[in-house]
Structure formats: structure tokens, C-alpha cells
Amino acid sequence: MVLTVYAVIAASFIYVVYVHISTYLKRRSYSHIASFPIPLTWKWYLGNLYLMRKKGSEMGLEGPSFSFSKVTEALRKELETESYVIFFPGVALVYTVSIPVVSKVFSDHKTFLKQDPRAGRLAYVNGERVFGHNGLLTEAGTDVWYYKRKMMDPAFQKKFLKCLMGDMTNSANKLCQYLEGKKSQNAIDIYGIMNRVALEIVCTCGFSLKDDFIMRETSDLNKATESIFEVLTLSFRSRGGFSFRLPWKFREEKRRLKDACALMRGTMRALLTKRMKKNSEDPESISNDVLDHIIKGNNFSDKISIEDICDDFFVFLVAGMETTAITMSITIWLLLKHPEISEKVVKEVNEVYGEKDELDYEDLNRLVFLEQCIKECLRMHPPAELSSRVSPKHDVTINGLLIPGKSIIMLPTEAIQSLEAHWPDPHIFDPDRFAPGKKIEPFTYFPFTAGPRQCIGKHFAIMEAKVVLAKFYRTFNYYDPYPEKTTLEKKTALTAKPKNGVFIGIEH
Ligand code: HEM
């Protein structure tokens, strides 16, 4: 017993010395880039984590309100630099708003892979396969990613998107029907509803999975996606995931995650089996959804298994649902707070609708100002606040910045899209920044990131937002139930979303 205690103390001592020395050596190798001091106390062990927490609490961002992107950007401004290093136990992060660096890192996807440690934590949670390691969004960038991307790209081309107009319009109509029934409420949370609209659209257009996600407030899949978001957030939040890993903690939440994953994977497996049978019986049949492209482009070779395809069901729900729901809701919020701009949108929508009840795909091209508003919303409030890539094993120099091997490079979307040098008065909502003919400097605006790994669904998302918002502005006159609230509080949990919903009132 005594020996064991000595052994544990000795091992801990050796470990602490090792971490101190390796952090010190790492710090030396970064001496050319601005950085923070590593505190010479036991807290040194945690690198700059302690400093970041301290800065967060100074900014009033503690606990669940902590925002990595806000704190890192505030620290960058304090250091008066474009790029700096943050040390974490065992890993160093290069944070940069340098446009040439961003451009190189996004464009050279074979050198700068996606190996964000967060992706690893999303693959399996408490032993449950959630995103897996081969989902399109999280895969590092090997042949598996290339193969999958090639298979799915055709499903997002304009020719295919045109076929989705009917399904998207149906969901937009259902949204209006739902809101009609809520008219008597003084304040309706549009964000909650938009999540269900986006879920329905991604399930219908992606997998021909038809269910009444909008009118029925609590479908099983609805509940499952909510549980997954909630528990994943918790696993990130609870002290870096540490307390979540303890077997006696969060038992109820872990059970819900298990059930939700079983439901999602079971649903996807059943859809796949049914569709493969249908396609083999009638090879000419076309469903024209993402699933069909996956099946037709794939022979389930050794590269991609059925479970790998199930991973993508999670990817599409997370990447395609929340992001678009956030964008549609915040656009409505911004327009609510800028009535003069909102009037311009309504005028344009009414002109494009004319005497028609429904818009055609071609009409969407005429909703120029509405698209400008959506783009400006994505500039001010990108749902993905920052992206990251991993540098290769050897050192690389980009535009004079030497990046030591195996660093995580943080590319802060929101911060770059708010740089005064490229976006004058960045905190003012001004859709005219995106007026036709205005030139946007490359890599200063990338809500969908850029380069080969940019969002596969970016045209899908803009189309969806235009169809849904055009129908909304065509149907309702709305008012601001809380005019005294002039700032939108957000929380970051995988994506940056409205913290307390987005409320509107509908005129009778
Ligand atoms: C406003 C809405 C959306 C935003 C802001 C958004 C944002 C992003 C971003 C920032 C990435 C890249 C992440 C990175 O490089 O680290 C991404 C990737 C991805 N997005 Fe979206 N997205 C949206 C809508 C959608 C939709 C509607 C779908 C599908 C229907 C989708 C599917 C994907 C997929 C599959 C990837 C991974 C692509 C790859 O790595 O090859 N997204 N998205």
C-alpha cells in the first residue's frame, strides 16, 4: 500500500516535470510569435488556460457564457498583433487574423488537415458512436473525405437544388400555418420554430424522410436531435468534458444520448435498406435526394461502410439544421430592429411574388436585397464562429509567420468578418456591403469557410433561407415585442446561437 502511494506520488511528480519542460521547450520554439507569459506557479501546468478563464471572467463571460472566440479576440487586441500563440496542456494553438495565412491554410487542404480535437470528442461520446470518424464534416481530409465529397457534391449542384423548390415551399407554407395558429401570443419564439423548419427541410430534401416536424412539436426525431445537441454541449461544457466522463455523473443525459443515437442510426439504416431495395428493383427510379446520390455513387466497398453513411445523417442534421435555423432567425431579428431595411425587404418580396401564390426557382434570383440581408447576417453572426486546421509535422512559414509543426491553427471567422480594415463600422447592420458590384476582398468573408473543405450546403442554405423568409415576409406583418432589447445575447455550444430565443409578435 505504502509503495503504491510512493509510486503514485513519484509518477505525478515526473508527469508534472515533463509537462513543465515540454511546455517550456514549446514556448521557446514559438518565441518569434507573440504570446502570453506562462505563469510561474503550479498553474503553469495549465498553460494559458488559467489566463483565458481570468480574462473571460473580467469580460463577464464565465461558466456556460464563456466564449472562446470573444476571449481570444480580446486578448489579440490587447497584444496588438495579428497572430499569437496560446498554450494548452500538451498542445499549442496559433490564433491568426492574417488574411494571407487564412488564405493559404484554407486553400491547401492537403497540408492543413482537419484534426481538431473537438472532432475526436464528437466521434464517440460516452462510448456511443455519434459522428464517428468518417463523417464528411469531421474526417481529417484523407481519401475517405475526397471519396465521400465527390459522391455527394452532385447532390448540391443547381440542377438538383431546383428540384427541391417544392419541398422547401411546402415547409415554408407549414411554418406560416403554424404561426397563424400562434397569432394570439404576444411574443412567439421564432428560433425554436425555425429549428423544426430546418429539420424538416434537411430530412425531406436530404433523405426523403417525411414527417410533420413543424406542426407536431414533439416528434421522436425532433426529441432525439434536441437530446443530441443538449448532451454534446454538456460534454463540452462540464469542465472540458472531465466530469462528464465520470461514470456516476449525468446518468440521465447519457441514457438519453444512447436512446437518441439508437433512434437516429436505426432510422438511417432502415432508410438505406429500403432505398437500396427500391433502387435494385427499379434502377430507373429517381428520388433525387442526397441519399440517392450516396447510394448510386457508392458500392459500399472497403472504403465506406453502412455505419459510415449513418455518420453523415448526424452530420447533415447538425451542419444543416442548426446553422440555417440560426441564420433565418437572426436575419428576422436584425430586420425587426431595423424597420427601414425591413420595409425594403417586404417591398422586394411583394414585387417578386406579384400576383403569384408561390415562387418559382428562377424567382429566387430576383430576391437580391433579401439575399444581401442574409449575407450581412452571416457576416455579423456566423453560426460557426471559428474554424481550425492542423499544421503538418514539419514547420511551415506563411507570409513570414513561422508555424511550428503540429500546431492547431485557429481561423476566427467572426473576428475577421469584423476587422475595421476590411469592414468599416463592422457592428452596423448594412446589407449594402453586399450590393451587386461591390467587391469583397478574398478571405475576409467566409461564413461557410473557404477552399475545398468549404460547406457543401452553402447554396442549399441560402436557397432555404430565401424561400422561407420570402414566404414569411409575404404572409405576415410583425412587430417587436421587446423594443427595449437592442442586443442579441448568444451562447456558443457547437454553434453560436441566440441564448434566449428570438421573439416576434404577429399583427392580427
Ligand atoms: C447558414 C447555414 C450554414 C452555415 C453557416 C454552414 C457553415 C459551415 C462551415 C463553416 C463549414 C466548414 C467547417 C470547417 O471548415 O471547419 C461547413 C461544412 C459543412 N456543411 Fe455547412 N453550413 C450551413 C448549412 C449547411 C447545410 C444546409 C448543409 C447540408 C444540407 C451543410 C452541410 C455541411 C457539410 C456536409 C459540411 C462538411 C463539408 C466538408 O468538409 O467537405 N451545411 N458548413
Side-chain angles (χ1 to χ4, degrees), residues 290-481:
V290 179
L291 187 60
D292 238 30
H293 286 273
I294 293 174
I295 293 174
K296 288 183 178 151
N298 181 40
N299 54 8
F300 296 102
S301 60
D302 51 348
K303 278 210 175 86
I304 298 176
S305 69
I306 288 195
E307 283 310 308
D308 290 341
I309 298 292
C310 291
D311 294 345
D312 284 313
F313 193 44
F314 286 82
V315 166
F316 275 87
L317 290 192
V318 170
M321 176 190 139
E322 265 222 327
T323 47
T324 324
I326 293 168
T327 306
M328 293 190 291
S329 314
I330 301 186
T331 303
I332 290 181
W333 184 83
L334 287 164
L335 290 172
L336 199 62
K337 299 293 170 190
H338 296 86
E340 66 301 343
I341 301 181
S342 174
E343 259 173 45
K344 253 181 106 173
V345 169
V346 174
K347 187 166 172 278
E348 180 186 77
V349 167
N350 284 334
E351 272 168 21
V352 174
Y353 263 95
E355 297 297 307
K356 290 184 187 177
D357 286 334
E358 305 296 358
L359 295 181
D360 298 318
Y361 179 72
E362 287 68 26
D363 292 326
L364 297 181
N365 291 332
R366 293 169 55 214
L367 292 168
V368 178
F369 190 65
L370 176 62
E371 184 165 331
Q372 284 173 224
C373 294
I374 297 166
K375 286 185 172 160
E376 175 69 343
C377 169
L378 282 165
R379 182 191 68 80
M380 295 175 81
H381 302 279
E385 291 173 314
L386 41 84
S387 291
S388 64
R389 297 290 187 267
V390 179
S391 68
K393 278 187 193 148
H394 54 87
D395 296 356
V396 276
T397 303
I398 311 171
N399 200 41
L401 176 71
L402 187 133
I403 301 176
K406 280 184 151 183
S407 320
I408 294 182
I409 309 170
M410 308 299 297
L411 308 160
T413 313
E414 188 170 336
I416 292 176
Q417 294 182 170
S418 302
L419 289 176
E420 271 291 344
H422 304 287
W423 302 99
D425 296 324
H427 301 298
I428 290 178
F429 177 59
D430 177 10
D432 283 335
R433 297 179 204 269
F434 295 93
K438 286 257 172 92
K439 210 174 159 282
I440 310 287
E441 233 179 283
F443 298 97
T444 57
Y445 177 76
F446 50 87
F448 299 100
T449 74
R453 295 261 354 215
Q454 66 178 286
C455 177
I456 200 171
K458 74 183 221 190
H459 297 301
F460 181 109
I462 297 280
M463 174 181 168
E464 175 178 342
K466 280 168 93 174
V467 171
V468 173
L469 293 178
K471 192 77 203 182
F472 173 79
Y473 284 102
R474 170 70 168 173
T475 315
F476 298 112
N477 287 329
Y478 71 150
Y479 62 87
D480 187 354

